[in-house]
C-alpha cells in the first residue's frame, strides 16, 4: 500500500533533523495545536515587552526615574523569559508527542504567576511609598 500523504517520508532540514531526530511524525493537527500554543505565549511575551516600554515612556508622573527604569527592565525581562520558555516548551512538547511520552509540565505558568505577582507587589510598594 502507498504512504499516507499527510505523513509522507519527506526529508527534513538540518536543524529539524537535529532537534527532532527521534520518534515518529505526530498527527499534523497536534503539531499545529502545539504551534498555536507557542504563538499564544509569544503574544503574552510581546504584551510584557509593550508594558515595559509603556512604563518607561509614560509613567514619569507615577514613578521616580530610577524606579521607573527598574520596573521597565524587569517587565521586559519577564517577556524575554516567557519567549525563551515558549520556545523550549514547544520543542519539549513536540519531542514528547514524537516519542509517545506524557507531555511535560508547563514551567512557564509558575514563572508567569510569580513574575506577575512580584511586579504587582513592586508597583504597590512604589505607589504607596510615593
Amino acid at each position: 500500500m502507498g504512504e499516507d500523504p499527510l505523513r509522507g517520508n519527506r526529508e527534513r532540514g538540518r536543524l529539524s533533523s537535529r532537534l527532532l531526530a527521534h520518534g515518529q511524525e505526530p498527527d499534523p493537527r497536534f503539531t499545529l495545536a502545539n504551534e498555536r500554543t507557542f504563538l499564544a505565549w509569544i503574544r503574552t511575551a510581546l504584551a510584557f515587552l509593550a508594558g515595559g516600554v509603556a512604563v518607561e515612556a509614560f509613567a514619569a508622573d507615577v514613578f521616580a526615574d530610577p524606579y521607573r527604569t527598574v520596573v521597565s527592565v524587569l517587565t521586559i525581562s519577564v517577556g524575554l523569559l516567557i519567549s525563551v520558555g515558549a520556545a523550549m516548551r514547544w520543542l519539549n512538547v513536540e519531542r514528547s508527542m514524537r516519542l509517545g511520552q506524557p507531555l511535560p509540565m508547563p514551567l512557564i505558568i509558575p514563572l508567569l504567576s510569580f513574575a506577575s505577582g512580584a511586579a504587582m507587589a513592586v508597583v504597590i510598594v512604589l505607589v504607596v511609598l510615593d
Side-chain angles (χ1 to χ4, degrees):
M1 247 182 157
E3 282 187 20
D4 184 327
L6 294 177
R7 294 180 177 220
N9 211 5
R10 291 171 276 182
E11 289 295 318
R12 291 191 158 275
R14 233 183 295 165
L15 182 62
S16 297
S17 295
R18 290 182 75 192
L19 294 176
L20 304 170
H22 304 290
Q24 295 180 349
E25 192 77 21
D27 186 325
R29 294 173 293 180
F30 300 131
T31 297
L32 293 173
N34 188 25
E35 187 175 318
R36 285 190 299 273
T37 303
F38 166 77
L39 293 172
W41 282 113
I42 292 299
R43 283 192 302 273
T44 303
L46 287 172
F48 271 85
L49 172 66
V53 171
V55 166
E56 184 61 33
F58 302 117
D61 297 340
V62 179
F63 304 120
D65 193 32
Y67 299 126
R68 187 177 72 241
T69 301
V70 167
V71 170
S72 178
V73 168
L74 287 175
T75 305
I76 291 170
S77 298
V78 169
L80 175 66
L81 288 173
I82 291 171
S83 66
V84 170
M88 296 305 298
R89 172 139 176 87
W90 174 85
L91 185 59
N92 289 335
V93 167
E94 191 68 23
R95 284 179 179 160
S96 293
M97 288 190 301
R98 289 171 177 277
L99 297 173
Q101 297 174 342
L103 297 180
M105 182 178 157
L107 297 177
I108 295 175
I109 293 172
L111 167 72
L112 184 57
S113 298
F114 175 77
S116 298
M120 285 185 263
V122 167
V123 169
I124 289 169
V125 167
L126 291 176
V127 169
V128 168
L129 290 178
D130 194 33

